[in-house]
Amino acid sequence: QVQLVESGGGWVQAGGSLRLSCAASGLTFRHYAMGWFRQAPGKEREFVAAIKWSGTTTRYANFVKGRFTISRDNAKNLVYLQMSSLKPEDTAVYYCAAGLHQGLPGNNEYDYWGQGTQVTVSS
C-alpha cells in the first residue's frame, strides 16, 4: 500500500521559513517524480513545485520562484519543500504527490497523494 506522509507544517510569521517533508513508502521511490501542491480555503488546489525522479530537473509555480526549493533524497524516500520569505497568501494545506513519469508529470498525472499538512502564515 502506497503511503505519502507530509510533515513540517505549522504556524509562522510572514518572512519566516518552514521545511516540509514527505515520506514515501510502498512504492519504488526512485521511479517517481514528486510534486507539491497546495489548497487554500475556498480555492482550488494549485501546483507549487515538482522534481524529476533523478532530482536533476525541477519546476516551480511562478508565485514561489526564488522563495521555495524542492529537493529529494532517494536513499531515504523523502522529498522536501524548503519555504522561505513566507507570505500570508502562502497559507494553505500542502500536499505531496507521486507520479510515475520519466520527466515531470502534468498536474493531472500524479498517481498518489498524501493527506496534507497545514501551513499558516500570519502577517
Side-chain angles (χ1 to χ4, degrees):
Q1 181 181 358
V2 175
Q3 282 193 312
L4 301 177
V5 180
E6 302 94 339
S7 62
W11 178 90
V12 65
Q13 286 189 323
S17 300
L18 282 175
R19 188 176 83 156
L20 305 183
S21 299
C22 174
S25 60
L27 52 71
T28 305
F29 184 71
R30 65 183 183 276
H31 290 175
Y32 283 78
M34 299 298 295
W36 286 95
F37 292 75
R38 71 186 188 185
Q39 187 167 19
K43 295 187 176 181
E44 293 189 351
R45 186 176 63 197
E46 61 183 356
F47 168 78
V48 176
I51 187 166
K52 187 177 175 179
W53 63 270
S54 60
T56 55
T57 304
T58 58
R59 183 172 67 213
Y60 296 91
N62 287 336
F63 56 76
V64 303
K65 283 183 180 177
R67 300 190 298 125
F68 293 9
T69 302
I70 188 171
S71 61
R72 65 189 295 159
D73 185 337
N74 284 352
K76 297 181 179 179
N77 287 12
L78 290 168
V79 62
Y80 304 100
L81 185 67
Q82 177 68 49
M83 305 186 295
S84 302
S85 301
L86 283 161
K87 306 174 182 180
E89 51 264 43
D90 294 318
T91 295
V93 177
Y94 284 72
Y95 300 90
C96 74
L100 188 62
H101 200 282
Q102 284 295 310
L104 294 176
N107 290 350
N108 295 322
E109 295 179 321
Y110 286 85
D111 303 296
Y112 303 104
W113 294 82
Q115 294 298 307
T117 185
Q118 175 71 46
V119 171
T120 303
V121 184
S122 66
S123 57

